[in-house]
Amino acid sequence: MTRIINAQPNRYGRLLLGLLPFIILLVIYIAASDARLAENPSDKLLPSLSSFADAITRMAFEPSKRTGEYLFWADTLASAVRLAMGVGISALLGLVIGIANGMVPYVRSPLSPLVTAISLIPPMAILPILFIVFGLGEVSKVVLIVIGISPVIIRDMQLRTDALPAEQLIKAQTLGGNSWQIILRVVLPQILPRLIEAVRLTLGSAWLFLIAAEAIAATEGLGYRIFLVRRYLSMDVILPYVAWITLLAFMMDYALKRLSLWAFPWYQKAQGGRND
Amino acid sequence: MTEHQPIIEIKNLWKEYGANVVLEKLNLRVMAGEFVSIVGASGCGKTTFLNLLLGTEQASRGDILLDGQPFDPEPSVERGIVFQKYSVFPHLTAIQNVMLGEEFGHSGLGSLLTGRLTGSAKRDARDRAMAMLEKVGLVQAANRYPSELSGGMQQRLAIAQALLKQPRILLLDEPFGALDPGIRKDMHSLIRELWQEQQLTVFMITHDLSEGFELGSRLWVFDKPRIDPQAPERFGAQVTFDIPLNKPGEKQRQFDLVRQSATLASGASSEVQP
């Protein structure tokens, strides 16, 4: 008999098994929702699928009665811009400071302790300061994301730079490279795929900070909407929004993975072709 | 360069880490075109010696002169290096790996700023790199990444990369230590050919005594002639045997002699690759 550790599902089996938990959760939800609605048709806690469809149509495909905007898309755009700016700035900071810290001792000595200290500040604790300093506009939300995730990326990039074999850097010097050329041609291209990995891992935190900032002070955005409609117990809006955020996060993660595969084929080969 | 000017001259060289003496009183002269194999037990300072030649470590006392001039205190183009591993750049294809030296060395502003060449300079660099790949038998693999090459091919690539800069001395740090015996034989004939054809001056560290005897024109054995059992770090290693290998017939006798040398024999046989 085949041992359980050797038994492999085939391709369709894997797909089916992957979908199964989602289907089970869905069935449980529908059953629970039906049971509650049978008892009290105006129950708002577990709305039926049709009320989800109504809510989605209302939010995404009909202009808002008050502002004339398609709220769902306006929220998505506002959040996406904030997230992209926050993550983009963090990635750039992480790349530049991380490599500089890893490669140049005279940069590392003053900067590394500072980065470590900043990374230990709980970002949410200084959110009020950001609101006071930068106002309630876009800047404070972007800055919160940057403060939240850039220290992590910087430290990761610094460690990755340190982890490059010393032999490579010595070899590059014997080939006549100056410091700048070595950073540009040897270090940077090897750090970029690792930057993408770091961004993928910090995307979750970036969403966390974004939604927290939007919940506290914003006039549009996915996090703002969720916290706004919470007052009316509008589970029919909250749950689709949560699902949408999850889907967006998944698509970003997937896009970054494809980008890494496409732009750095050598990296996947050197890693043994793992596909995570 | 005159006939009597050694390419490398080592004068009263000491290397100490605090009270720990690694190398003591080294006085050596190497003429251009020599192939020096360096053997010795683990921890006898042969890697330290190589690092001194390479410029990643500095001598505590004494001098190393290259063509009569003191060395740069950091790795430079006069010294080519091939390590046991990590000598090639994983993000560049074979041809790009070899071209990198050309791109770095170029005096143009574009090269200084971006580390890249364009136009005809790039084509020339590519041609020279291709010729070098041909010498080491890697033309077919020119567009493959190092991770797609076998260990032996990676070492060939590392050699091609180092030779492109026409270094005054070529340093090999256990270059074939991680290879299969069959591949190692091929690499031996390759390096011997290149050495003779290009008139290289080579320093090769090896833990394999017979490899040292087979390849070099001269063999150095690093060992500690004095040992204080209470404080083994008190005395450093010296070159205890300096054997010319270009006299046929002498080889076997010398080989046995070195093998019998008590400390080395025990060290060499018990030495394991880390």
Side-chain angles (χ1 to χ4, degrees):
Chain A
M1 203 189 121
T2 320
R3 290 181 182 84
I4 187 87
I5 54 170
N6 292 327
Q8 298 267 7
N10 65 21
R11 215 169 139 239
Y12 299 105
R14 265 207 307 279
L15 192 69
L16 200 69
L17 286 173
L19 284 176
L20 194 62
F22 291 98
I23 296 169
I24 293 176
L25 284 176
L26 191 65
V27 168
I28 291 176
Y29 179 87
I30 292 171
S33 164
D34 279 354
R36 281 187 74 102
L37 287 171
E39 207 142 288
N40 173 13
S42 58
D43 177 70
K44 302 194 77 169
L45 218 55
L46 299 181
S48 67
L49 295 185
S50 62
S51 38
F52 284 139
D54 288 345
I56 293 170
T57 315
R58 182 159 37 84
M59 300 299 291
F61 304 113
E62 287 167 12
S64 154
K65 290 194 185 73
R66 201 162 58 80
T67 61
E69 280 180 316
Y70 294 87
L71 288 178
F72 179 82
W73 302 112
D75 288 339
T76 303
L77 182 68
S79 289
V81 168
R82 290 166 190 151
L83 192 74
M85 282 182 65
V87 172
I89 292 170
S90 303
L92 200 65
L93 280 177
L95 191 66
V96 172
I97 301 180
I99 290 182
N101 271 358
M103 289 299 294
V104 188
Y106 269 98
V107 172
R108 182 193 198 116
S109 300
L111 270 192
S112 191
L114 180 70
V115 172
T116 308
I118 291 178
S119 76
L120 295 173
I121 302 173
M124 292 306 294
I126 55 166
L127 184 56
I129 303 178
L130 300 181
F131 281 143
I132 294 167
V133 175
F134 298 108
L136 298 178
E138 298 301 297
V139 182
S140 53
K141 299 173 191 69
V142 173
V143 171
L144 179 69
I145 298 176
V146 171
I147 288 182
I149 66 172
S150 63
V152 182
I153 300 183
I154 292 173
R155 294 178 80 186
D156 191 35
M157 292 303 97
Q158 180 177 336
L159 290 175
R160 304 295 192 129
T161 307
D162 283 342
L164 290 179
E167 286 91 339
Q168 275 188 24
L169 301 179
I170 293 171
K171 179 94 188 193
Q173 293 178 61
T174 65
L175 296 180
N178 62 35
S179 303
W180 171 245
Q181 288 173 327
I182 292 173
I183 288 175
L184 205 62
R185 293 296 314 275
V186 177
V187 179
L188 181 67
Q190 295 196 66
I191 292 303
L192 279 176
R194 295 165 167 108
L195 176 71
I196 292 184
E197 280 180 349
V199 168
R200 283 176 66 190
L201 290 176
T202 47
L203 262 184
S205 314
W207 274 107
L208 168 74
F209 294 124
L210 173 72
I211 289 172
E214 286 180 342
I216 294 171
T219 54
E220 56 183 353
L222 295 167
Y224 161 75
R225 194 68 54 198
I226 291 177
F227 276 77
L228 181 76
V229 300
R230 179 195 58 125
R231 296 177 200 165
Y232 318 116
L233 232 63
S234 292
M235 290 293 270
D236 54 341
V237 174
I238 295 178
L239 285 176
Y241 263 63
V242 172
W244 175 238
I245 290 173
T246 311
L247 183 67
L248 283 180
F250 176 82
M251 289 193 304
M252 288 175 196
D253 186 70
Y254 184 75
L256 286 171
K257 187 172 109 181
R258 300 304 305 182
L259 174 69
S260 177
L261 280 170
W262 170 78
F264 312 106
W266 59 270
Y267 185 67
Q268 270 62 32
K269 283 168 190 160
Q271 300 281 306
R274 272 183 304 113
N275 232 353
D276 43 359
Chain B
M1 206 180 5
T2 62
E3 194 62 9
H4 304 290
Q5 166 89 48
I7 186 164
I8 290 283
E9 187 169 13
I10 291 160
K11 284 185 181 164
N12 192 31
L13 183 81
W14 290 68
K15 180 66 187 173
E16 298 152 349
Y17 299 102
N20 184 0
V21 182
V22 181
L23 296 170
E24 62 177 47
K25 258 195 326 206
L26 291 183
N27 281 293
L28 298 157
R29 292 156 67 88
V30 176
M31 307 305 284
E34 285 195 88
F35 191 133
V36 183
S37 297
I38 299 170
V39 297
S42 295
C44 70
K46 42 186 208 299
T47 300
T48 304
F49 180 75
L50 191 92
N51 287 342
L52 291 172
L53 279 182
L54 189 56
T56 54
E57 288 189 58
Q58 313 308 322
S60 311
R61 270 177 277 165
D63 295 303
I64 305 180
L65 303 179
L66 174 74
D67 296 324
Q69 301 295 318
F71 258 162
D72 272 352
E74 57 179 0
S76 61
V77 280
E78 290 92 49
R79 294 160 273 186
I81 176 82
V82 175
F83 293 105
Q84 186 173 4
K85 45 185 180 174
Y86 304 127
S87 291
V88 293
F89 303 110
H91 62 292
L92 299 174
T93 59
I95 183 85
Q96 287 170 335
N97 258 289
V98 182
M99 278 172 70
L100 192 67
E102 290 270 351
E103 295 176 302
F104 278 169
H106 208 264
S107 55
L109 189 66
S111 161
L112 276 181
L113 287 182
T114 65
R116 286 173 196 277
L117 294 175
T118 49
S120 65
K122 183 172 185 175
R123 276 195 298 279
D124 292 349
R126 202 179 178 82
D127 292 344
R128 278 193 293 275
M130 212 48 164
M132 192 52 81
L133 280 183
E134 187 149 16
K135 272 196 187 115
V136 298
L138 278 182
V139 173
Q140 264 75 44
N143 291 316
R144 284 200 251 158
Y145 287 105
S147 58
E148 300 168 291
L149 304 177
S150 68
M153 288 161 94
Q154 289 188 23
Q155 290 307 79
R156 282 168 189 268
L157 181 58
I159 292 168
Q161 210 180 18
L163 289 184
L164 187 95
K165 299 300 282 188
Q166 300 179 314
R168 298 286 294 138
I169 57 173
L170 179 64
L171 307 171
L172 308 173
D173 187 1
E174 301 199 8
F176 315 127
L179 304 179
D180 295 337
I183 310 275
R184 208 187 278 204
K185 277 246 155 3
D186 296 344
M187 296 299 290
H188 285 173
S189 42
L190 173 76
I191 201 80
R192 199 181 293 115
E193 254 170 50
L194 289 171
W195 168 50
Q196 279 158 1
E197 183 192 308
Q198 317 236 333
Q199 316 259 301
L200 302 168
T201 308
V202 185
F203 291 83
M204 179 183 73
I205 288 187
T206 175
H207 64 278
D208 180 348
L209 200 53
S210 54
E211 181 176 83
F213 268 91
E214 195 190 321
L215 272 182
S217 67
R218 187 172 173 185
L219 181 91
W220 291 348
V221 180
F222 274 64
D223 202 3
K224 294 187 177 187
R226 299 180 290 174
I227 289 179
D228 181 345
Q230 256 65 48
E233 75 284 353
R234 185 69 187 77
F235 299 112
Q238 299 180 359
V239 173
T240 51
F241 289 86
D242 182 350
I243 307 165
L245 298 175
N246 30 23
K247 297 190 192 98
E250 273 287 275
K251 261 192 185 178
Q252 193 54 45
R253 200 179 65 79
Q254 297 281 10
F255 184 75
D256 295 337
L257 196 70
V258 176
R259 278 294 275 278
Q260 282 155 17
S261 151
T263 51
L264 181 73
S266 61
S269 60
S270 66
E271 184 172 9
V272 235
Q273 275 306 103

